[in-house]
Amino acid sequence: MEILNFEFPSSKVKARRAHVGVVGSGDLEILMEPSVDGETRVTIQTSVAGFVDTWKAVVERFLQQHPEAANIEIHDFGATPGTVALRLQQAVEVSKS
Amino acid sequence: MTFEITLSDEVLALSARRSYIELNARARALQLLDDGTFHELLGPFDRVESPWLPMQGIVTQSDDGCVVAKGKIDGQPAVVIAMEGKFQGGSIGEVCGMKMAEAFRLARLDNEKGIPTRAVLSLESGGVRLQEANMGELVIAEIYAEMVALRKHTPLIVVITGPTGCFGGMSLAAGLASYVVMTRQARLSMNGPEVIELEAGKDEFVAADKPFVWSVNGGAQRFATDFADVLLEDDADAVTQAVTELFRKGQPAQLRTDKYELFIKRLKFLDPAKQWVAEDIRNAWKAVAK
Amino acid sequence: MTDPLNNRGRKWFEALTGSDGKVEGNPGSLMVAEATLGGEKAVFVGVAPDANARFPRTGHTEVGLEEGWYGTKNLRAVIEADKNGPKRPIITVCDSKSQAYGRREELFGIHVAAAAIIAAYADARAAGHPVIALIVGRCVSGSFLALAGQASRMIAFDDPEVLIHAMYKDAAARITKRSVAELDKLGETIVPMAYDIGSFNKLGGLHKLLKIADPDTPAPASLEQVKATLIEAIADARKSPRNLDARLESDGAKAFRKASLKVRQMMTEQWAAC
């Protein structure tokens, strides 16, 4: 297991909290909450070590599309970058519904 | 030229059906509770997670694989506990097990105060979580204690649909239930097929022979031999309906665990020297009916 | 590992009761006897090896179909007999290697047989019987849940042959894809995974961990020591609520079951708020 932490300055504040996914094989769980201080923080627990750059790229791409400040907690159980992106998108949709 | 597609009734029924098996634990709790009454306790954002898994480098889940929701069923106060089979095989560790035990305890306290809170346990579980071994054993004993106390007040219903099934410590929880609802896809047994084969050899159990395994512990066999009260197709609304009807029926005439005279009669009648197959036991049960 | 025929459970059962526990109609593996303890009648229960066991996957102290169902019948008879009078203590001398693993067991519903004896112990406790588990040997997996789990008070011998666990080490290693050495290493830091009874005791489940001079041979002094401990545990159970809260309220739980306590506190608050 590896634990990763990313921080990004962010401006727009929004969104209700959202929870999606399951910590099951090839899947992940995401907890998304609005940030109170304008910073976006992403914490990742992943069962697969050694993919820091991949995670950074996936998260950055996501934040370019959704710059809302948020605390994002990810519990990953070997999801592919595609699944991670889908779950992040799903979390945004849940947070807006 | 156009083709007119005609679907059989069977196909139409299938397409109209929503799967319960495919629902995750939270969606199952939502499915079982009356619309708009779902209120989750110790949800993901409370972040009460297993303290033991991170110490072993294992990723946690924010609800530890157990969803507890208070609400109503058929207009009556209810609590639903749903295990998530995809997280650590639905195994029982300290936090998820304690959530289950507490849900039963709090429902029992309600009943003692005159609030007739009923309980449904939707199980997907491989048994005790080996990474929390003895903690799991202690907590499972506490779950049983609360189940036995609660079922005196209200029917306690266990739902097993698959895909994980119900094994180990949680199979005994199904044994303690007032009613057991199963699908054909569900499996229920104390020892997992691999463990039996490991302990007793291939003459006793062939874990890789899926039809054989299902013939022993599958929903249809469990229903035919009176270890389950309702057998369903995989249909979310049918599960809700079955649960509602069982609560309307009230307490069973006799709890399964009180049927010791019947089971002892059966044990005396059976020949334990021979190796049994599923069909034998169905016939034997009929022969010793009541 | 104790030889199954070492018979520690049977020796202690016989020493405590002066009886072999055989009852007409019961299977040979089930020991049940009444004996005097601290000036009152007490019921003793246990599972012993049985060379003539009917079910081939039992006979080496396993809890199987017969142990579950006949055990239930015997316990229910005690509850019924004491319904309107003093509740006799029920003491289970635990030395049982596991549940029975077999095809017949699954087909005939061992999960209900085990649930039934658990319900009988739990109902006995709720009715006011002090339910005591005296763990003198192995009490692993299903046999722990079936024989000891519902006890008002659990007492274990402080001895390397005493084992309470979810699964034997070799099987657990195979299933969790770890080596036995890795499991041992984990047990040093992850207390619930450890195999020694001292570690189990840290979790707060035991009422007492009892150092016995020779646990394989109930000498008179040791027997008196065990009896005194049982009498004290019975008195303690009688003045406490008839549930398992003593385990959760123990110092061990305060140190090692912080998560359990947090779940109880937060669930209670949230339940009341909705």
Side-chain angles (χ1 to χ4, degrees):
Chain A
M1 185 177 75
E2 189 166 66
I3 294 174
L4 311 172
N5 287 289
F6 302 118
E7 288 196 13
F8 303 89
S10 196
S11 51
K12 290 192 257 169
V13 180
K14 209 23 245 150
R16 286 190 314 124
R17 63 188 199 180
H19 172 261
V20 297
V22 174
V23 187
S25 182
D27 204 347
L28 72 163
E29 174 189 43
I30 297 175
L31 291 89
M32 198 180 277
E33 290 176 282
S35 163
V36 285
D37 61 2
E39 290 273 309
T40 284
R41 281 180 205 81
V42 183
T43 308
I44 300 160
Q45 265 190 60
T46 174
S47 60
V48 191
F51 287 87
V52 187
D53 295 342
T54 313
W55 278 107
K56 198 147 186 287
V58 171
V59 170
E60 278 177 351
R61 197 176 315 134
F62 170 74
L63 292 174
Q64 277 161 17
Q65 292 158 352
H66 302 280
E68 301 92 342
N71 287 325
I72 299 171
E73 192 176 325
I74 294 176
H75 296 167
D76 167 60
F77 217 67
T80 61
T83 304
V84 176
L86 274 172
R87 284 290 189 201
L88 282 166
Q89 188 57 40
Q90 190 192 1
V92 169
E93 276 154 26
V94 171
S95 77
K96 285 176 178 165
S97 65
Chain B
M1 191 172 159
T2 57
F3 291 98
E4 195 164 324
I5 299 165
T6 315
L7 297 173
S8 70
D9 289 349
E10 205 173 304
V11 173
L12 283 172
L14 267 173
S15 58
R17 200 186 284 161
R18 276 188 316 116
S19 168
Y20 186 89
I21 294 174
E22 287 168 17
L23 300 178
N24 67 28
R26 192 158 286 102
R28 289 179 179 194
L30 268 163
Q31 169 65 33
L32 291 169
L33 290 167
D34 294 353
D35 287 348
T37 68
F38 174 97
H39 193 116
E40 185 165 357
L41 304 177
L42 231 55
F45 290 95
D46 285 316
R47 291 185 169 85
V48 183
E49 301 173 0
S50 164
W52 308 103
L53 294 180
M55 295 167 81
Q56 298 167 59
I58 298 169
V59 179
T60 54
Q61 182 162 296
S62 59
D63 57 18
D64 203 36
C66 178
V67 173
V68 178
K70 215 176 148 186
K72 290 192 168 163
I73 292 176
D74 201 17
Q76 294 295 312
V79 64
V80 174
I81 304 132
M83 284 301 295
E84 178 55 68
K86 291 195 184 87
F87 176 64
Q88 294 294 329
S91 60
I92 304 295
E94 181 182 9
V95 169
C96 64
M98 197 66 197
K99 284 168 83 170
M100 198 183 282
E102 279 301 290
F104 291 133
R105 187 180 71 92
L106 291 161
R108 193 240 317 153
L109 291 174
D110 266 7
N111 277 276
E112 286 172 0
K113 283 184 290 199
I115 305 163
T117 303
R118 45 193 37 184
V120 185
L121 175 60
S122 180
L123 281 173
E124 296 290 341
S125 179
V128 68
R129 186 179 294 166
L130 291 175
Q131 294 89 347
E132 306 188 23
N134 282 336
M135 196 63 89
E137 292 284 308
L138 284 172
V139 172
I140 289 171
E142 288 159 22
I143 292 169
Y144 298 157
E146 292 299 346
M147 290 183 80
V148 173
L150 176 61
R151 67 182 192 169
K152 293 188 207 307
H153 297 279
T154 173
L156 200 166
I157 300 174
V158 162
V159 175
I160 309 165
T161 60
T164 305
C166 178
F167 298 93
M170 285 301 98
S171 73
L172 276 58
L176 290 171
S178 316
Y179 298 107
V180 176
V181 175
M182 290 182 81
T183 64
R184 288 176 195 283
Q185 291 87 341
R187 292 175 298 156
L188 166 63
S189 67
M190 183 166 186
N191 298 302
E194 290 79 11
V195 182
I196 302 173
E197 188 184 304
L198 195 73
E199 294 282 339
K202 281 195 189 291
D203 289 343
E204 189 75 20
F205 224 87
V206 187
D209 183 349
K210 298 302 170 200
F212 162 73
V213 171
W214 245 270
S215 80
V216 173
N217 63 22
Q221 174 72 7
R222 289 316 196 187
F223 178 70
T225 49
D226 197 27
F227 292 111
D229 302 275
V230 179
L231 181 68
L232 297 174
E233 298 302 327
D234 174 26
D235 179 339
D237 291 330
V239 175
T240 309
Q241 196 188 333
V243 164
T244 303
E245 280 168 15
L246 288 170
F247 280 130
R248 283 186 187 167
K249 198 168 148 187
Q251 297 280 14
Q254 193 179 26
L255 288 162
R256 221 165 244 116
T257 53
D258 282 341
K259 295 182 178 176
Y260 51 89
E261 296 291 4
L262 172 63
F263 274 92
I264 285 172
K265 203 165 130 192
R266 285 169 172 168
L267 291 183
K268 281 183 183 162
F269 174 81
L270 301 166
D271 174 13
K274 76 166 203 171
Q275 192 50 283
W276 289 65
V277 297
E279 193 58 32
D280 298 340
I281 192 84
R282 292 191 191 201
N283 295 332
W285 256 215
K286 277 178 211 140
V288 204
K290 296 280 129 68
Chain C
M1 199 61 52
T2 314
D3 177 341
L5 299 173
N6 178 24
N7 248 341
R8 199 187 262 192
R10 171 167 276 163
K11 282 185 206 162
W12 281 96
F13 183 95
E14 289 179 354
L16 285 160
T17 63
S19 155
D20 64 5
K22 293 214 186 305
V23 175
E24 180 67 31
N26 277 353
S29 57
L30 187 64
M31 302 182 286
V32 180
E34 192 186 64
T36 304
L37 181 71
E40 66 173 327
K41 297 273 189 218
V43 177
F44 289 78
V45 182
V47 174
D50 178 16
N52 302 313
R54 283 182 72 221
F55 284 81
R57 298 293 309 154
T58 63
H60 317 88
T61 73
E62 296 90 346
V63 174
L65 294 157
E66 290 193 320
E67 293 72 22
W69 283 118
Y70 284 92
T72 302
K73 183 182 179 180
N74 283 260
L75 290 170
R76 292 283 173 200
V78 173
I79 299 170
E80 179 63 22
D82 294 359
K83 197 169 55 179
N84 302 313
K87 315 291 185 197
R88 284 169 288 172
I90 299 170
I91 297 147
T92 307
V93 182
C94 302
D95 181 13
S96 166
K97 65 180 285 202
S98 64
Q99 71 270 31
Y101 299 91
R103 190 201 301 186
R104 300 165 191 80
E105 278 71 19
E106 298 305 332
L107 280 168
F108 304 166
I110 188 177
H111 68 289
V112 184
I117 192 167
I118 288 166
Y121 276 120
D123 280 336
R125 169 170 45 72
H129 294 269
V131 176
I132 313 290
L134 177 68
I135 302 160
V136 302
R138 293 167 301 172
C139 202
V140 176
S141 188
S143 71
F144 172 80
L145 294 173
L147 300 178
Q150 296 306 312
S152 332
R153 297 291 182 272
M154 293 192 283
I155 299 161
F157 284 3
D158 186 2
D159 176 70
E161 298 287 328
V162 171
L163 178 61
I164 299 174
H165 214 275
M167 194 180 268
Y168 283 99
K169 211 186 277 182
D170 49 349
R174 242 172 308 203
I175 293 203
T176 58
K177 299 185 178 72
R178 287 160 160 161
S179 68
V180 167
E182 280 174 304
L183 278 188
D184 282 333
K185 187 84 193 143
L186 277 169
E188 288 170 19
T189 47
I190 319 281
V191 176
M193 288 189 75
Y195 279 80
D196 61 296
I197 191 67
S199 293
F200 183 83
N201 187 40
K202 285 185 185 167
L203 305 177
L206 296 179
H207 175 65
K208 197 152 274 179
L209 189 58
L210 206 56
K211 194 82 199 163
I212 294 284
D214 184 358
D216 282 322
T217 318
S222 298
L223 188 59
E224 285 316 305
Q225 184 192 359
V226 169
K227 282 185 178 175
T229 307
L230 289 172
I231 291 164
E232 181 275 327
I234 289 163
D236 193 50
R238 280 209 170 104
K239 62 176 198 264
S240 308
R242 297 167 181 180
N243 54 34
L244 302 183
D245 278 357
R247 300 180 191 176
L248 208 53
E249 288 161 1
S250 66
D251 289 341
K254 283 178 193 122
F256 286 93
R257 293 188 63 181
K258 291 195 179 83
S260 297
L261 293 164
K262 192 173 178 187
V263 169
R264 171 165 282 193
Q265 185 215 329
M266 289 180 73
M267 287 259 305
T268 305
E269 286 166 11
Q270 293 183 5
W271 185 281
C274 69

